[in-house]
Amino acid sequence: MPLLDIDWAKNDRDPFAFLVNWSACVADALNAQLPNTERFLAESFHRTRLKTGEEIAGFAGGPPVVSAGGQDTDQKYPAFDPPAPTFVAPARFTDRVGVNVSDAHHGRRVTAVVMFVTPDNKADSDSSLAFAVRAAALMSRGAGVVIVDALPGPASWATHLHSLVGVYPITKRPRGTDAPVLVVHPQVQGGAEQFAVWHYAVASGFPLPTVPVPIRGAMNLKLDLEATYAAACER
C-alpha cells in the first residue's frame, strides 16, 4: 500500500487527482459485474470545495437565462427575492470524490456510494464533521456506503460518524498510520432496522481488502480495492 508512504507535498503529487482516477477504476470494476447498465449504473463523481463555492457565489448574480434550441433567449428564470435571513451560521463546504451506484427503476435513485476521503476532508474538525454528516445521511436513507481513507493524518471523521449513526465503536476507531476502510449495509432483519458493518485497518505495505458494495434492495457487488488501486497507479 505505497500510497501511505508518499509525502504528497515533497513529491509534487496531487492526491485529489489520484483519488479521482481511483474512483473511475472503481466505477469500471463495479459496472463490469453488471449484465448491462440499463438498471444499475456506477458513476464516478468529483467536486472540489472551490468549485462548489464558485457555484454558490454565482447565486448572487441573479437567475440564469432561459435557453431554447441551444440558444439563449432574452428571458430569465423566475426568482423570488426573500427577506433578509434571520441568522447566518458558519458553513464548511468540502471536496467530494467517489462513486455513486444508481437504480433506474427508482428514478436514478442512489442505492450505494463509495466515498474516498480527500485531504480537504481531513483539513480540520469542521471538514471531518461535514464528511461524516454526508456519509450518515446516505446510510440513514438506506444506501450502502463504503468509505476508503488511504491518506496520512488522523481519521477524525470516524468519531463524528459514530456520534451520528453509531457504526464506529471506540475499539474499532482508526489509530496510528493504518488506512481505515468501512462498509455499512443498512438492512431490516426480523422487523429490526440496523446497520451491518465491516471494519478494516490496512497497514502500510499490506494489500487493501476486497469488500462488498451493498446495493439497496438488490444484491452485493464485489469491490477489490487492491486491484482498483493498482489499476489507478497504472493509469
Side-chain angles (χ1 to χ4, degrees), residues 52-70:
T52 300
E54 289 175 346
E55 291 173 343
I56 294 174
F59 186 87
V65 173
V66 176
S67 297

Side-chain angles (χ1 to χ4, degrees), residues 27 30 41-45 98-102 110-115 138:
L30 296 179
L41 177 65
E43 298 176 288
S44 173
F45 67 86
V99 175
N100 284 342
V101 182
S102 55
V110 174
T111 58
V113 177
V114 179
M115 303 174 66
L138 289 161

Side-chain angles (χ1 to χ4, degrees), residues 190-235:
E193 299 171 347
Q194 57 193 28
F195 293 125
V197 184
W198 292 260
H199 298 97
Y200 302 88
V202 185
S204 177
F206 285 82
L208 288 158
T210 295
V211 301
V213 179
I215 309 300
R216 176 169 51 193
M219 69 280 185
N220 289 297
L221 296 180
K222 181 174 72 172
L223 175 55
D224 185 338
L225 287 171
E226 183 65 22
T228 56
Y229 173 77
C233 290
E234 290 180 4
R235 286 190 183 186

